[in-house]
Amino acid sequence: MSEERAKKRSKTAKEVDPKDNPYLAHLQPTNEFSQVDFHGLKAGNTTGAQAEVVENGDINPFNNKPFSAKYKKILEGRRKLPVHAQRNEFLEMVHNNQIIVLVGETGSGKTTQIPQFLVYDDLPNLKKKQIACTQPRRVAAMSVAQRVADEMDVPLGQQVGYNIRFEDNTSPSTFLKYMTDGMLLREAMSDPQLSRYSALILDEAHERTLNTDILMGLVKEICKRRQDLKVIVMSATLDAGKFQKYFNNAPLLNVPGRTFPVEIYYTPEPERDYLEAAIRTVLQIHLCESEGDILVFLTGEEEIEDACRKIKAEADEQIRQVDCGPLKVVPLYSSLPPNAQQRIFDPAPPARKAGGAPGRKVIVSTNVAETSLTIDGIVYVVDPGFSKQKVYNPRIRVESLLVSPISKASAQQRAGRAGRTRPGKAFRLYTENAFVKELIEQTYPEILRSNLGTVVLQLKKLKIDDLVHFDFMDPPAPETLMRALELLNYLGALDDDGNLTPLGEIMSMFPLDPQLSKMLIESPGYYCSNEILSITALLSVPQIFIRPNEARKAADEAKAQFAHPDGDHLTLLNAYHAYKTNGADPKWCYDNFLNQRSLKSADDVRKQLKRTMEQYDLDLVSTNFEDKNYYTNIRKAMVSGYFMQVAHLERTGHYLTVKDNQVVVLHPSCCLDHKPEWVLYNEFVLTTRNYIRTCTEVKADWLLDCAPQYYDLTNFPNCEGKRVLEKVCARRASRGYQDDKKSSKQRRK
């Protein structure tokens, strides 16, 4: 081993130490303000009145600076929140119990206030500890952290910060951290006791995301070993009994919301197009209803941006014809940057002239606004009754995001958004009969409808080997668990006994799906890790190609400049290289119909993944661009991770997925100008047909080389693909026989 490589390995060993782990880098707050006067507060033994004395003071105890005028004004508003009236009751429960279940209607102030109540009681900054508040969504973690930093009169990223996938806005002085539940789970891999935390707040637990369910099982176990750890499970649902029972009959604190009556309106007949109906309803409200902002629920980024454009265009036309106030339309979804997300809190536009009709704000959002965020000023809610949900079919190994009807509980939450500041109205774009008879009571937990590959890998890393008896609140189906174990075994992350392999250890440290992690780890062997790093980052962000309805032809022509004949992954790579060559210029992106926000995000993701690769001494190499194998090597590396997501072209002209024999077609966005015999695909999309999206041409030989265990033809289903692979094997065997014969002849000579 070279001296340079040995140094690199020694550096890696140091970096892997828990103290320097990238996920734990900012977990040790400094004690620089320990001498600040907290007016006699004692950690773990304060009352609301004692804490209020400090809050009412002139000096901020957390940074030793005078409180600002803005702080004093915000403090007045905080004291009026419903949760404030129960501060003493909450603190008394915290002092007498390890785990508390808190149910509070959205708008009660629980997400912003409860962590602050704990900060003044627990004083984590003096103990060099932290308080974590988990959120199911990135948007909520960022927005709430900003709000709480303002309320505590500290800069975001200092005493109060947030940590989400691929973005860490914390520092050594952070003691209150908002984070996605997935990030806390990742920290548990390096610190199984979560020893750096004195309190954990699991917020929006009713959403029952995959990570929340695992966290709850994990925290329940940790509490048995750490009596000093306080846990608050917060939910907006009234189904608190289930959480109480799960946490060994934990006590319950009910916090009432600040709500007004909401009138519910249904459509007399089912709507043919809910998007058009939603836009029409918004415009009717703007024309006919009194002052108040509007919240519209839609299913995803593309739909929201489309609706925003149409509402703006039609509102401008309306304003020219009728004397109505100005309309400000604001989108809200998870991939928006923080500054764009904050626009939802901007005031509505003023009237265009004195005494004229008042302006109105319209927020078009995913279900993130259902419970995670509270937006004042909303009086009207438009609810089409749909949301995007992850659905996994273990029998055919297909996971898709499907637009599905919401549950009754979600419908009630949405309607409740309208009654925050005054009586409101909720317009449900479905019939009352559909609400009563067709909607389910509660949304199914994500763990019952997801691919558990990442979950099983995380649990194995957490040294939880008995998956069947792990204390899930709702145990997943055995078949789903078996599929996950099978996937990880084929990828080499688990051995035949179900134990984590050295490869699996490294895979678990990447915040990615197992297939992407494997592809990244194997890429140095194909001399293309730099390129695979870029492709992985591009697959981890929203779509980089923009195709607006009014300029589809121009957008397609722009995309054609980057198109690679071998497939979409290489097209993405070409676009990214062009973006970097042009200095990440926003105008160049706009001219070429590229989403600059997604490309910048991919750049940030790439930097973080690169750090993880360097930490594990994975070489960053590239094949010379002039070499004819430049693109071939990239495609081979992709097969090493995605060999299970391959389809074969049958004689009938359609594709069949390997082993599962699902009939699929290439997605219309695919840039392949021909039908290759074998294609690797990134995702399976169920709409009117079974589409495979983001596809690249691969060769049968590569499949046999990369995954001989998976492509073992003795247990392969009978299909055209099997016959082709048998011919390839026969050809290779014959070639091997001929090579042996030739070498034997040479030896005899």
Side-chain angles (χ1 to χ4, degrees):
M1 187 186 290
S2 72
E3 192 179 333
E4 187 183 344
R5 198 170 171 85
K7 277 183 190 168
K8 197 174 178 186
R9 281 205 180 274
S10 136
K11 182 185 169 198
T12 301
K14 186 185 171 192
E15 287 174 347
V16 179
D17 189 283
K19 292 174 187 170
D20 300 316
N21 190 293
Y23 297 108
L24 308 174
H26 302 310
L27 291 184
Q28 299 179 53
T30 60
N31 204 12
E32 57 188 297
F33 304 123
S34 59
Q35 303 308 311
V36 173
D37 184 12
F38 276 88
H39 297 274
L41 292 191
K42 288 183 181 174
N45 190 25
T46 64
T47 64
Q50 289 172 324
E52 283 175 38
V53 169
V54 183
E55 289 175 337
N56 293 336
D58 296 321
I59 301 294
N60 188 334
F62 301 113
N63 60 12
N64 224 4
K65 294 178 181 176
F67 280 126
S68 65
K70 181 184 174 186
Y71 166 82
K72 300 283 186 186
K73 189 178 177 185
I74 293 174
L75 187 61
E76 279 179 46
R78 286 173 57 200
R79 297 274 162 87
K80 293 173 187 170
L81 289 167
V83 74
H84 183 75
Q86 288 170 278
R87 185 170 189 167
N88 276 325
E89 189 184 350
F90 167 73
L91 290 173
E92 197 175 324
M93 288 179 83
V94 169
H95 297 157
N96 297 325
N97 300 278
Q98 186 177 14
I99 303 175
I100 296 168
V101 176
L102 187 150
V103 170
E105 291 175 32
T106 310
S108 60
K110 63 182 188 304
T111 304
T112 55
Q113 303 310 300
I114 292 293
Q116 292 184 71
F117 294 170
L118 270 179
V119 163
Y120 278 95
D121 177 59
D122 191 56
L123 302 177
N125 54 315
L126 302 188
K127 300 191 291 188
K128 293 191 176 181
K129 293 278 186 180
Q130 285 189 321
I131 292 173
C133 182
T134 68
Q135 298 290 323
R137 294 187 176 85
R138 298 159 57 96
V139 178
M142 290 189 282
S143 298
V144 177
Q146 179 64 66
R147 174 66 189 175
V148 172
D150 290 344
E151 289 185 2
M152 292 183 71
D153 211 20
V154 294
L156 179 65
Q158 292 302 310
Q159 287 76 16
V160 178
Y162 67 82
N163 188 7
I164 59 177
R165 191 167 82 134
F166 302 127
E167 194 175 339
D168 185 357
N169 192 0
T170 61
S171 69
S173 56
T174 301
F175 55 75
L176 175 54
K177 182 158 70 172
Y178 284 86
M179 61 205 303
T180 50
D181 36 23
M183 291 312 295
L184 185 59
L185 204 52
R186 298 206 71 78
E187 285 188 16
M189 290 182 188
S190 305
D191 179 14
Q193 299 303 311
L194 293 173
S195 55
R196 289 165 175 82
Y197 295 97
S198 57
L200 301 174
I201 302 166
L202 307 182
D203 197 7
E204 310 295 0
H206 62 278
E207 295 215 4
R208 302 288 307 280
T209 64
L210 257 179
N211 290 326
T212 304
D213 271 25
I214 302 164
L215 258 182
M216 287 195 291
L218 200 61
V219 166
K220 194 175 170 183
E221 284 298 311
I222 292 171
C223 283
K224 292 174 187 173
R225 297 188 292 272
R226 278 194 61 195
Q227 299 300 314
D228 63 315
L229 181 69
K230 298 290 183 182
V231 177
I232 290 90
V233 181
M234 301 203 299
S235 168
T237 183
L238 295 175
D239 182 24
K242 189 167 187 175
F243 291 107
Q244 282 183 277
K245 188 179 174 186
Y246 180 72
F247 285 105
N248 308 320
N249 299 316
L252 173 69
L253 178 65
N254 254 308
V255 180
R258 188 171 62 187
T259 54
F260 293 86
V262 177
E263 285 183 74
I264 308 286
Y265 296 89
Y266 294 93
T267 57
E269 297 292 330
E271 292 290 348
R272 186 172 296 177
D273 184 337
Y274 70 83
L275 182 59
E276 287 301 322
I279 294 165
R280 192 172 65 247
T281 306
V282 167
L283 296 167
Q284 283 174 349
I285 292 170
H286 187 48
L287 272 178
C288 309
E289 296 287 347
S290 58
E291 190 178 356
D293 295 339
I294 305 169
L295 174 60
V296 187
F297 286 99
L298 291 177
T299 64
E301 178 183 342
E302 203 173 306
E303 200 171 72
I304 287 169
E305 292 289 2
D306 188 30
C308 286
R309 278 193 298 271
K310 287 179 177 174
I311 291 169
K312 278 177 195 165
E314 295 198 30
D316 291 344
E317 185 66 30
Q318 216 173 55
I319 287 166
R320 280 196 290 271
Q321 295 173 4
V322 186
D323 185 26
C324 58
L327 201 64
K328 180 180 182 178
V329 188
V330 186
L332 178 64
Y333 46 85
S334 62
S335 54
L336 272 176
N339 60 331
Q341 289 169 14
Q342 290 303 312
R343 289 177 56 215
I344 63 171
F345 301 112
D346 292 349
R352 290 197 308 281
K353 58 186 178 185
R360 206 189 295 269
K361 181 173 67 179
V362 178
I363 296 164
V364 189
S365 172
T366 59
N367 53 356
V368 68
E370 204 174 283
T371 56
S372 303
L373 293 172
T374 298
I375 308 157
D376 285 330
I378 300 295
V379 178
Y380 306 100
V381 164
V382 179
D383 174 19
F386 291 98
S387 68
K388 264 191 184 165
Q389 289 189 2
K390 200 181 283 182
V391 179
Y392 178 64
N393 182 339
R395 203 137 298 169
I396 56 171
R397 300 182 185 89
V398 171
E399 185 174 55
S400 270
L401 270 176
L402 296 181
V403 174
S404 314
I406 59 172
S407 63
K408 285 178 185 167
S410 287
Q412 303 288 26
Q413 288 285 357
R414 290 181 174 190
R417 310 289 77 228
R420 281 277 291 114
T421 49
R422 64 183 176 89
K425 295 180 180 179
F427 298 87
R428 290 178 175 164
L429 306 182
Y430 42 92
T431 64
E432 189 168 7
N433 190 50
F435 175 79
V436 173
K437 294 184 179 176
E438 293 176 25
L439 299 190
I440 58 173
E441 290 295 329
Q442 295 277 350
T443 309
Y444 291 117
E446 203 176 327
I447 201 156
L448 301 182
R449 49 186 173 83
S450 294
N451 178 354
L452 301 181
T454 307
V455 172
V456 170
L457 191 59
Q458 287 173 333
L459 290 174
K460 289 286 183 181
K461 176 66 179 171
L462 291 163
K463 305 284 188 288
I464 295 163
D465 293 319
D466 189 359
L467 302 175
V468 176
H469 294 105
F470 180 72
D471 197 358
F472 290 110
M473 190 180 271
D474 286 289
E479 188 177 4
T480 312
L481 266 178
M482 289 306 296
R483 286 295 192 205
L485 290 165
E486 180 189 52
L487 165 72
L488 294 171
N489 179 244
Y490 280 129
L491 288 171
L494 299 180
D495 61 23
D496 291 344
D497 296 323
N499 300 316
L500 201 62
T501 63
L503 172 65
E505 290 270 357
I506 302 175
M507 282 170 66
S508 70
M509 293 314 295
F510 284 92
L512 300 165
D513 287 338
Q515 295 100 315
L516 281 173
S517 303
K518 173 76 185 294
M519 179 173 89
L520 211 46
I521 293 163
E522 293 292 327
S523 60
Y526 295 93
Y527 306 100
C528 60
S529 48
N530 282 313
E531 288 73 19
I532 291 295
L533 197 53
S534 301
I535 289 171
T536 303
L538 291 161
L539 293 174
S540 303
V541 299
Q543 185 57 252
I544 65 167
F545 294 109
I546 299 169
R547 194 171 184 256
N549 286 337
E550 67 279 5
R552 286 182 175 180
K553 190 167 182 288
D556 290 343
E557 286 169 0
K559 185 178 177 181
Q561 302 173 84
F562 311 112
H564 192 283
D566 290 334
D568 298 321
H569 296 85
L570 304 180
T571 301
L572 285 171
L573 184 65
N574 286 348
Y576 178 72
H577 284 163
Y579 165 73
K580 297 296 282 182
T581 304
N582 284 277
D585 179 18
K587 187 182 182 305
W588 179 85
C589 291
Y590 179 81
D591 293 340
N592 287 277
F593 292 89
L594 289 170
N595 187 332
Q596 197 254 344
R597 199 162 57 223
S598 288
L599 284 162
K600 186 179 184 308
S601 181
D603 226 10
D604 295 338
V605 170
R606 191 184 189 282
K607 284 172 191 166
Q608 181 174 331
L609 293 175
K610 183 182 174 188
R611 284 198 297 273
T612 310
M613 287 189 77
E614 287 168 343
Q615 179 190 336
Y616 287 96
D617 201 18
L618 296 169
D619 294 329
L620 292 161
V621 290
S622 294
T623 304
N624 189 323
F625 186 69
E626 305 302 322
D627 192 315
K628 63 179 173 45
N629 290 321
Y630 176 78
Y631 286 113
T632 303
N633 287 348
I634 296 169
R635 285 154 62 207
K636 283 181 179 177
M638 281 160 49
V639 170
S640 68
Y642 279 92
F643 55 82
M644 292 175 78
Q645 291 182 202
V646 170
H648 179 258
L649 181 65
E650 302 294 290
R651 288 176 183 171
T652 50
H654 61 261
Y655 282 95
L656 268 191
T657 59
V658 293
K659 286 208 176 181
D660 301 315
N661 285 359
Q662 291 294 298
V663 177
V664 292
V665 293
L666 299 178
H667 194 270
S669 65
C670 182
C671 68
L672 284 164
D673 57 359
H674 63 293
K675 278 189 166 183
E677 185 178 8
W678 295 92
V679 289
L680 171 151
Y681 58 90
N682 193 59
E683 58 181 321
F684 191 113
V685 184
L686 293 169
T687 50
T688 48
R689 301 170 76 180
N690 291 348
Y691 287 110
I692 47 175
R693 187 158 65 187
T694 316
C695 304
T696 290
E697 180 177 2
V698 294
K699 305 289 184 194
D701 286 279
W702 305 347
L703 301 174
L704 295 167
D705 290 337
C706 285
Q709 190 185 355
Y710 187 74
Y711 287 91
D712 176 7
L713 300 180
T714 55
N715 61 2
F716 210 83
N718 201 18
C719 61
E720 185 65 30
K722 179 180 181 177
R723 288 186 281 280
V724 171
L725 290 169
E726 282 173 340
K727 285 178 186 172
V728 172
C729 288
R731 188 191 73 226
R732 293 171 88 167
S734 167
R735 193 171 61 207
Y737 172 73
Q738 295 297 335
D739 289 345
D740 286 347
K741 201 172 171 185
K742 194 174 175 183
S743 59
S744 171
K745 198 173 179 182
Q746 284 172 340
R747 279 198 302 274
R748 281 200 303 273
K749 279 184 179 179

